[in-house]
Amino acid sequence: MSAEDLENYETDMELQLYREYRDVVGLFSYVVETERRFYLANHVDLQARSADGEVYFDLTLQDAWVWDVYRSARFVKNVRVITFKDVNVEELPRNEELALPKDGGLGDLGDLGN
């Protein structure tokens, strides 16, 4: 396998992973980013802990999806991460919050062209 073949393979795998992410993101409530991984999850418990004067984070996720191109099974029931690095947790907007009105109308904006 040439270097170009390997690069094309990795690019295809990343594109497939992005498409999977796009398809499943609406199923989850939170985006979680650690130094090593990116997760989607429906339940997040983040606890700051201390041991020997060092602060670390104990992160538990339930009903999660893992962004990892090399994993064959990206859906996981439970994930536990212990890290001394930053953890970012963001709540995803619900689809209803971003949807157009059910009648498809834009209110007064719809009359701009008349």
Side-chain angles (χ1 to χ4, degrees):
M1 178 180 273
S2 71
E4 184 178 337
D5 290 340
L6 182 58
E7 187 174 325
N8 288 339
Y9 174 77
E10 288 178 348
T11 300
D12 289 344
M13 293 296 291
E14 288 174 6
L15 182 58
Q16 288 177 15
L17 182 62
Y18 169 75
R19 287 179 176 151
E20 183 178 327
Y21 164 81
R22 186 187 59 200
D23 291 343
V24 302
V25 69
L27 302 173
F28 296 94
S29 300
Y30 299 94
V31 172
V32 180
E33 186 177 7
T34 68
E35 177 189 15
R36 297 192 56 193
R37 295 278 192 284
F38 178 88
Y39 302 90
L40 298 172
N42 281 321
H43 176 76
V44 176
D45 181 31
L46 178 63
Q47 301 292 320
R49 304 208 189 273
S50 179
D52 298 327
E54 296 285 334
V55 175
Y56 66 94
F57 299 100
D58 187 349
L59 175 65
T60 303
L61 308 175
Q62 292 177 341
D63 187 21
W65 181 88
V66 184
W67 179 288
D68 187 341
V69 74
Y70 299 107
R71 284 181 70 107
S72 59
R74 287 185 266 282
F75 288 95
V76 260
K77 183 130 180 87
N78 295 298
V79 176
R80 185 169 182 209
V81 177
I82 308 276
T83 182
F84 287 92
K85 304 290 184 176
D86 291 343
V87 176
N88 184 41
V89 178
E90 296 179 30
E91 186 172 6
L92 290 166
R94 300 303 319 158
N95 288 340
E96 308 86 60
E97 294 173 9
L98 300 176
L100 290 173
K102 292 194 186 307
D103 63 5
L106 298 174
D108 294 336
L109 294 176
D111 297 329
L112 292 176
N114 296 332

